[in-house]
Each structure stands twice: as structure tokens, then as C-alpha cells.
């Protein structure tokens, strides 16, 4: 029977509507599959939980669909291809497809990511970058490969951890569109890892480096020597590791980096545009060296060297009055600086309580001279500012603001590492599984909610080279414990170093930090799940 009136059709046979709607949906999806287009607002770039927060974000309300049809193109300028390759690797490690980079043949590339060297960026820092995302292109521009690498981290953070497309059959990961202009507030943003109190393997340090790079750190300072162990092979003085590397805090077996290992770490860091700064701590904190070569021990002034696996400080010293000591140090510094492309060598200089002040000052000046003769600049803990130093020397403030201020007034640059705010080895609270508490407890909020710019009153901001978060390792023996103390606090310090004061707000930061959880989980990082954060 035919001749339904319209009304009765709708009343009697409503399922026809479903059939029609479903058919058109299938057709629509089929079109989307061949030529996906996202022309509706899906996300807002200004709400992306980026850390560190960029300088300027302008959303445009659409999205770029990252999918199997995306292609990366890079300029041939030195280093850009490598940055593109790291991006491609990280995409293929996370997503179910590989994307080609600079394909030789013509390819059907409806969506492209382009890494472009650009001399006309208005921001002058080598780490500055501009990111422009439209619905079919991502353009990352920077003066240098370093800038491109930092921008690439922003891009990685914009790739959602969960697939967030709706219609597309071809899986897509939607990145919010818009423009980001970004440049760091401080040129030096570092973490220190103490591999002397407990040794950490090349593999463990690499894993740590990977996370630091994601949050735009550019420096890893390795505290290579201390009373409990000497951790780097020195060919001309083999006993330093044959004897000095055998122990660590608690009595377990220590370890050391061969020169090949160290080169491997330096290269791995360099690929991530992170500079490694080696530290040989002296004239105190030298029990392991003095145990290996007792002729350099300050007999009668410092405690007799023996295997030390305790956590005491301030009892050891080189014999700073012995001429042969400086020949020894020249050779040690020569070997280490040869392996280190970065501009700095850290001479320690802290807590030399067993060295008379006059001898200490004389020693620091002589060692600075040796380091400078290898065409490296000196960095040392704030005590070194008692000596007469060249203006290229950098003072790392940890406990004495007066001396740091004096050094700055003399024209020296200062790295801020105030123990009360930025020591990663301090406990979060009394319940912390690891850590010390001599400088107090540092919660995730305490770690973030302060201003390095004004921490030392009257210190001109121009004299601040940057920020470094030291992780002393007396209480941590493995990567799990390391990650517990370092994360999430080191994520906050990354922002303190990169993002200017006016853009930092705890309430906004804590939401962005909570949004790091899927990334941290994916990388299996054993962070401390702070109750300050709604994870
Ligand atoms: C002080 S900070 C030290 C280190 C310890 C640390 C423990 C500094 C320059 N020296 O020798 O490992 O405290 O928090």
C-alpha cells in the first residue's frame, strides 16, 4: 500500500529517519577518511597545559590533525635535520604510524610540519622560537637548532596523550592552532646530579636527561667527585677510579664512568641541546681522591683518608701547599675538559672546613688559573667568591647571599641555587620516603611559589645567569628514588627559569602540572604524587 501522508510517515515509520541519518553519516565519514578537514574549533591553544608557560600564545580556534599523512620538512642548516629526526622518532614511538622526514620523491602530504631557520626573529636568544599552527601546517622557526629543539618540546607537549579526533576514520591527533612566541627568561637552567654519594649509570642519567629536555632545561651539572667516591676515569691517574670509585654511601659498590661513557653522555645531552658541566669538588670533599693518592692529603690538618660511606662533610682536604698537587690537577682538568665541549668547569669549593682560609683562597685562585688555561670558565659554590676571581668566573649561590651579592657587585654572574627553595634532596614533608631536611621541607608549592628574580635583595637581575636545582644523592640509590625527589619539583624549577615572573601563578601552574600526569605515566616516571596537586 502506498500513499502515506507525510505526518503518518514520521509517526508510523520513524526508523526511516535513523536509516537516512546513518547513511549520510557513513558517507560523511568516508569523505573525511580520504581528505580529513578540521574546520571547527576543537581546542584552545591558550588553554594547552604547557610547561614552561610560553611568553606569548595567540589561539586561532582550529586544529592541526597529526596523522599518518603528515610529513616533516627541515632546513639543511646545521642541526635542524637532527631536531626533525628526534621529533619523528618521538612521534613514531608514541603513535601508531611513522612520519617521513624530507622525503626524496613527491609525496601526497596534505599536512606538513616545517622546521625553518630564520634570522629575522625579533627575539635574540639562541633558544627563542616561533610556532605557527594552522589546520594543515605547523611552522617552527628559530635562529638556531637549539631554538628549534626548544620549540620542538612545545610541539611535543601539544600532541595529546590520548587520540582526540571525533569523526576521522584515519586516526588523528589534534593540535590546537595559533601562534606561540617564546624565549627564556634566564640563559642558564640546570639540574645538578650528585653521582658521587651514589653512582648513577649512563642509562639512568640518559633517562633523567630525556625528561629534563622535555621541560626545556639546558644544563646538567654532574657532581663527579666527593669523599665517598671518584666517578670519572682519569688515564694519567688510574688509582682515582681503581681505588676511589669502589664505594658509595651506605657501603654498596660504587662505580665510575669510563672516558667513553662520559663522551656518550655528553653526546646524548648535546643531541638534546643540554650542556654537561663536570665538577671536581676541591680542596675539601676529597677523601676518595686522597685515599687513592695519599700524597695529596693535607696530613695533620684533615682526617686521614679511609673508605668513607657515611654522610659527614668538612673533614677532608687536599694539601694545597704542595706544588705537585697543581701538576696533578692540571692533568685531571686537562683530561676532563678535553671530553667536555661546554664552556664551564666546576671546581666545587664548598665546605672546605679542613683547609685554612689563606690556603683555601690561594688554592681557588691557582685552580681557576688552570681551568682558564684550558679555555674554560670556572664555576664554584659560593665560598669561592672569597678569592680574587676573574669576571668570567660564575658563583653558585647556595647558602650565603651576602657573598653572592658581593661577587655580583664585582661583575661576576651568579647561579641561584638557594638550598631552602631549590634543593631537590630536601624532603617534601616529614613523611617523605627519601631526602634530608637540614634546609627545611620543600613542598611542591614552596618549590614553585617564589621569585628567583628578587630572592637576594639588591642583586641586579642582569647578574643572574640562571637557576640550578641540585640533587645530592646521600639518600637516593636508584632511579626510582631519584625520580621521587626530582619530580614534580624539577618541573616547577624549569618554569621558574624559563617563564617571566608576570606570567607565573601557582593556581594556574598547579592545573598545568596535574595535566602532566599522562606524560609522566607513559614514561613510567615515579614522581611524588603531591597532595598539593589534583592529579
Ligand atoms: C651541602 S650544598 C653540600 C653537599 C651535601 C648537601 C646535602 C653544598 C655545596 N654542599 O655536600 O651533599 O649539603 O644537602
Amino acid at each position: 500500500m502506498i500513499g502515506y501522508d507525510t505526518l503518518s510517515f514520521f509517526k508510523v515509520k520513524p526508523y526511516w529517519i535513523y536509516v537516512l541519518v546513518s547513511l549520510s553519516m557513513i558517507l560523511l565519514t568516508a569523505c573525511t577518511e580520504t581528505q580529513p578537514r578540521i574546520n571547527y574549533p576543537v581546542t584552545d591553544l591558550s588553554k594547552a597545559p604547557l610547561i614552561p608557560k610560553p611568553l606569548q600564545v595567540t589561539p586561532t580556534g582550529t586544529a592541526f590533525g597529526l596523522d599518518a599523512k603528515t610529513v616533516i620538512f627541515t632546513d639543511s642548516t646545521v642541526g635542524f635535520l637532527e631536531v626533525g629526526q628526534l621529533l619523528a622518532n618521538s612521534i613514531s614511538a608514541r603513535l601508531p604510524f611513522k612520519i617521513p622526514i624530507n622525503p626524496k620523491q613527491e609525496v601526497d602530504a596534505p599536512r606538513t610540519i616545517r622546521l625553518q631557520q630564520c634570522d629575522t626573529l625579533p627575539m635574540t636568544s639562541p633558544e627563542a622560537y616561533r610556532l605557527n599552527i594552522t589546520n594543515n601546517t605547523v611552522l617552527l622557526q628559530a635562529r638556531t637548532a637549539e631554538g628549534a629543539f626548544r620549540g620542538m618540546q612545545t610541539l611535543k607537549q601539544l600532541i595529546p596523550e590520548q587520540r582526540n579526533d571525533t569523526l576521522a576514520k584515519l586516526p588523528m591527533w589534534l593540535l590546537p592552532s595559533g601562534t606561540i612566541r617564546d624565549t627564556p627568561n634566564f640563559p642558564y637552567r640546570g639540574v645538578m646530579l650528585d653521582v658521587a654519594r651514589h653512582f648513577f649509570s649512563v642509562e639512568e642519567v640518559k633517562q633523567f636527561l630525556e625528561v629534563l629536555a622535555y621541560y626545556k632545561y639546558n644544563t646538567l651539572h654532574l657532581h663527579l667527585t666527593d669523599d665517598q667516591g671518584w666517578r670519572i676515569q682519569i688515564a694519567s691517574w688510574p688509582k682515582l677510579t681503581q681505588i676511589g670509585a669502589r664505594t658509595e654511601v651506605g657501603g654498596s659498590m660504587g662505580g665510575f664512568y669510563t672516558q667513553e661513557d662520559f663522551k656518550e653522555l655528553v653526546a646524548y645531552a648535546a643531541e638534546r641541546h643540554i650542556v654537561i658541566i663536570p665538577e671536581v669538588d676541591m680542596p675539601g670533599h676529597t677523601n676518595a681522591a686522597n685515599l687513592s693518592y695519599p700524597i695529596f692529603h693535607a696530613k695533620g690538618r684533615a682526617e686521614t683518608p679511609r673508605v668513607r660511606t657515611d654522610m659527614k662533610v668538612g673533614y677532608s682536604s687536599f694539601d694545597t701547599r704542595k706544588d705537585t698537587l697543581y701538576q696533578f690537577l692540571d692533568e685531571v682538568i686537562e683530561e676532563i675538559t678535553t671530553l667536555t665541549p661546554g664552556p664551564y668547569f666546576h671546581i666545587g669549593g664548598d665546605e672546605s672546613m679542613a683547609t685554612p682560609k689563606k690556603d683555601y683562597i690561594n688554592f681557588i685562585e691557582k685552580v681557576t688559573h688552570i681551568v682558564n688555561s684550558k679555555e674554560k670558565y670556572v664555576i664554584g659554590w659560593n665560598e669561592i667568591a672569597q678569592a680574587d676571581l676573574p669576571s668570567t668566573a660564575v658563583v653558585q649561590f647556595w647558602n650565603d647571599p651576602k657573598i653572592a651579592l658581593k661577587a655580583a657587585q664585582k661583575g661576576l654572574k651568579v647561579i641561584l641555587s638557594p638550598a631552602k627553595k631549590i634543593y631537590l634532596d630536601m624532603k617534601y614533608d616529614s613523611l617523605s620516603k627519601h631526602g634530608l631536611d637540614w634546609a627545611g621541607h620543600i613542598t611542591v608549592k614552596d618549590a614553585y611559589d617564589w621569585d628567583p628574580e628578587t630572592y637576594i635583595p639588591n642583586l641586579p637581575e642582569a647578574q643572574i645567569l640562571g637557576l640550578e636545582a641540585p640533587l645530592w644523592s646521600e639518600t637516593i640509590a636508584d632511579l626510582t628514588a631519584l625520580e621521587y625527589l626530582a619530580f614534580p619539583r624539577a618541573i616547577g624549577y624549569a618554569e621558574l627559569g624559563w617563564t617571566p615572573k608576570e606570567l607565573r601563578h601557582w593556581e594556574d601552574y598547579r592545573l598545568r602540572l596535574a595535566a602532566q600526569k599522562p606524560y609522566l605515566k607513559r614514561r613510567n616516571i615515579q614522581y611524588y604524587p603531591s597532595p598539593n596537586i589534583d592529579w
Side-chain angles (χ1 to χ4, degrees), residues 60-115:
T60 49
T62 174
F64 175 87
L66 175 64
D67 67 359
K69 290 211 159 200
T70 308
V71 175
I72 299 179
F73 291 102
T74 72
D75 276 5
S76 52
T77 320
V78 181
F80 276 67
L81 172 65
E82 287 78 359
V83 174
Q85 250 145 9
L86 287 173
L87 176 64
N89 294 347
S90 115
I91 289 172
S92 62
R94 267 185 64 183
L95 308 183
F97 49 80
K98 278 195 180 358
I99 60 178
I101 171 161
N102 298 332
K104 294 256 161 31
Q105 295 105 350
E106 277 281 300
V107 286
D108 171 26
R111 283 163 294 285
T112 56
I113 298 176
R114 191 172 293 277
L115 272 52

Side-chain angles (χ1 to χ4, degrees), residues 124-227:
T124 53
S125 160
E127 298 187 272
Y129 68 91
R130 210 181 88 101
L131 193 58
N132 187 39
I133 305 175
T134 70
N135 57 0
N136 53 16
T137 59
V138 171
L139 177 63
L140 171 55
Q141 295 170 304
R143 265 171 214 279
T144 67
E146 192 184 357
F149 184 83
R150 305 290 173 239
M152 195 261 278
Q153 304 314 311
T154 303
L155 190 54
K156 274 167 61 175
Q157 292 194 8
L158 288 173
I159 303 173
E161 291 290 329
Q162 300 288 326
R163 183 182 154 187
N164 62 345
D165 52 346
T166 46
L167 277 181
K169 269 267 181 69
L170 201 69
M172 271 194 164
W173 276 254
L174 301 180
L175 280 65
S177 68
T179 306
I180 293 179
R181 269 195 336 112
D182 204 7
T183 191
N185 199 28
F186 291 115
Y188 183 109
R189 302 174 311 281
V191 160
M192 185 208 80
L193 179 62
D194 171 7
V195 294
R197 270 54 176 272
H198 279 103
F199 182 64
F200 291 88
S201 68
V202 170
E203 220 26 67
E204 289 170 322
V205 178
K206 281 184 179 174
Q207 288 195 42
F208 191 33
L209 275 166
E210 198 60 42
V211 189
L212 298 179
Y214 189 72
Y215 294 107
K216 298 190 175 70
Y217 276 99
N218 63 7
T219 309
L220 177 67
H221 161 190
L222 288 176
H223 182 77
L224 291 167
T225 69
D226 214 302
D227 293 320

Side-chain angles (χ1 to χ4, degrees), residues 194 197 223 226 281 285 313 350-351 381 383 398 419 423 425-426 436 438 472-474:
D194 171 7
R197 270 54 176 272
H223 182 77
D226 214 302
D281 200 355
H285 290 277
V313 296
D350 59 316
E351 300 173 319
W381 299 104
E383 289 93 325
W398 68 284
Y423 264 31
D425 65 319
M426 290 302 118
L436 302 172
W438 66 262
W472 302 99
S473 64
E474 286 94 332

